[in-house]
Amino acid sequence: MNSTMEPWLLKSPTLAALSPHCLFPTKTQGDAPYFGCIVGRVANRIKNGKFTHNGTEYSLPINNPPNSLHGGFKGFDKRIWEVVEYTKGDNPYITFKYSSSDGEEGYPGDVSVTATYTLTSSTTLKLEMEAVPKDKATPINLAQHTYWNLAGHNSGNILDHTIQIWASDITPVDENLIPTGEIKPVKGTPFDFTAEKKVGLSINEVGLGYDHNYVLSGGEERSGLKRAAKLKSHSSSRVLNLWTNAPGMQFYTGNYVNEVVGKGGAVYNKHAALCLETQGFPNAVNQPNFPSVVVQPGSKYRHTMLFEFSTE
């Protein structure tokens, strides 16, 4: 990531700019809330850490009681990925690979995973995530968990940022942040970001803050990707447009960030930044009306994100 982009990304001081796994700030070793990483094998929450496939029940680690979150106690964010290819030049890229074994964190089957980060221009960063099950069907739902504060990493909270999300519906959640299975329109609710709106305008009406899956639809399409969100800091004039081929996006306003010591000794607290995690729907393995996240042997999981930066 070039130096002009770097201040826009809230990250720990030791986090490699293009690394798909997390390296934590020294003072909070093991506790950083997924800063900058790729989470999996299944992102987001799985109800009670259980799912059934082809008559077999699988039990997953309960690392976010009463649920399993972001792949378990040692998900993909806490694994060492191998650098298998990279190039420099005008459009540099780097490809990381990780091989997840059968039974790892309770998930069935061996899976080969790659993540390729490419600077497609001086103002665009593309991430292509792919995964191939070897011999068993398994749920796969990867998410990129960067926290964004476009005003700068030590500039306060993101409540004055504006955001537009190309989604007319959300998947509402219960008291444990598990989707109920419903799909409800955002119109007339605090969840409505169909037009550009301040993040903090209605945040007090949704409990601790936003931590909800938006059903992406209606956005402009480009090269097989649909526009998911536009984020803007009016203090810096920086803008991030996000494009993806994923069906959903978790909009998370850093509700559980608490005194994490990061870059330059900055202390990150609640709402210090936000996440735009494009994904399959949370708990889809237990909701037959949600798009399936189960991938069959011989098939390939593909998930692409394009981060487009500008000023206004």
Side-chain angles (χ1 to χ4, degrees):
M1 185 173 292
N2 66 31
S3 59
T4 59
M5 287 186 185
E6 192 174 22
W8 308 3
L9 173 61
L10 173 62
K11 61 187 182 181
S12 78
T14 55
L15 179 64
L18 296 181
S19 172
H21 61 279
C22 285
L23 299 174
F24 301 119
T26 302
K27 293 184 181 180
T28 55
Q29 186 72 25
D31 292 332
Y34 302 99
F35 281 179
C37 57
I38 289 176
V39 293
R41 182 177 304 190
V42 175
N44 219 298
R45 295 170 177 87
I46 293 179
K47 185 176 182 179
N48 298 325
K50 293 185 183 298
F51 71 93
T52 300
H53 183 69
N54 287 340
T56 300
E57 183 179 87
Y58 295 91
S59 295
L60 312 173
I62 306 299
N63 62 321
N64 183 236
N67 306 310
S68 188
L69 175 68
H70 289 333
F73 286 113
K74 196 174 181 181
F76 289 3
D77 60 297
K78 297 175 183 69
R79 304 286 177 170
I80 301 300
W81 296 51
E82 177 188 5
V83 175
V84 292
E85 190 175 5
Y86 69 94
T87 186
K88 301 179 181 180
D90 292 338
N91 301 115
Y93 70 86
I94 185 167
T95 299
F96 298 91
K97 182 177 182 180
Y98 176 65
S99 296
S100 178
S101 59
D102 184 22
E104 183 178 294
E105 295 297 295
Y107 289 96
D110 296 325
V111 177
S112 178
V113 186
T114 60
T116 300
Y117 291 83
T118 306
L119 285 171
T120 54
S121 76
S122 62
T123 56
T124 53
L125 173 65
K126 188 176 187 178
L127 169 59
E128 298 166 287
M129 294 174 277
E130 297 185 348
V132 179
K134 181 179 179 181
D135 52 4
K136 293 181 182 178
T138 188
I140 302 173
N141 182 23
L142 308 181
Q144 214 285 340
H145 212 293
T146 291
Y147 284 70
W148 299 99
N149 185 326
L150 299 184
H153 82 100
N154 193 18
S155 58
N157 62 50
I158 42 74
L159 299 181
D160 283 337
H161 280 46
T162 59
I163 191 168
Q164 182 174 0
I165 301 175
W166 276 265
S168 300
D169 302 279
I170 61 166
T171 53
V173 296
D174 63 18
E175 66 277 8
N176 294 316
L177 297 177
I178 292 291
T180 62
E182 304 167 281
I183 295 176
K184 286 190 172 181
V186 297
K187 186 176 181 180
T189 76
F191 300 98
D192 190 351
F193 290 95
T194 52
E196 192 172 312
K197 185 175 80 173
K198 278 192 176 182
V199 171
L201 184 64
S202 306
I203 198 168
N204 292 331
E205 300 176 43
V206 294
L208 293 175
Y210 296 98
D211 193 3
H212 298 78
N213 174 61
Y214 280 73
V215 181
L216 298 177
S217 63
E220 176 189 354
E221 292 196 14
R222 180 195 299 173
S223 302
L225 305 179
K226 55 193 172 188
R227 200 176 188 186
K230 176 185 178 182
L231 180 68
K232 181 178 180 180
S233 163
H234 291 268
S235 65
S236 69
S237 299
R238 293 171 179 143
V239 176
L240 166 61
N241 277 284
L242 175 60
W243 304 72
T244 187
N245 62 349
M249 183 187 76
Q250 191 82 2
F251 176 41
Y252 173 55
T253 49
N255 311 324
Y256 301 103
V257 178
N258 182 31
E259 296 188 352
V260 178
V261 179
K263 182 178 177 180
V267 179
Y268 306 139
N269 284 305
K270 184 179 180 181
H271 306 323
L274 59 81
C275 301
L276 304 171
E277 305 160 62
T278 65
Q279 60 178 3
F281 294 0
N283 198 40
V285 286
N286 294 310
Q287 291 291 354
N289 59 315
F290 286 177
S292 177
V293 296
V294 174
V295 183
Q296 301 294 328
S299 298
K300 181 180 286 188
Y301 166 93
R302 291 184 174 91
H303 181 179
T304 301
M305 306 175 76
L306 180 68
F307 304 92
E308 188 175 53
F309 300 94
S310 61
T311 58
E312 284 186 3

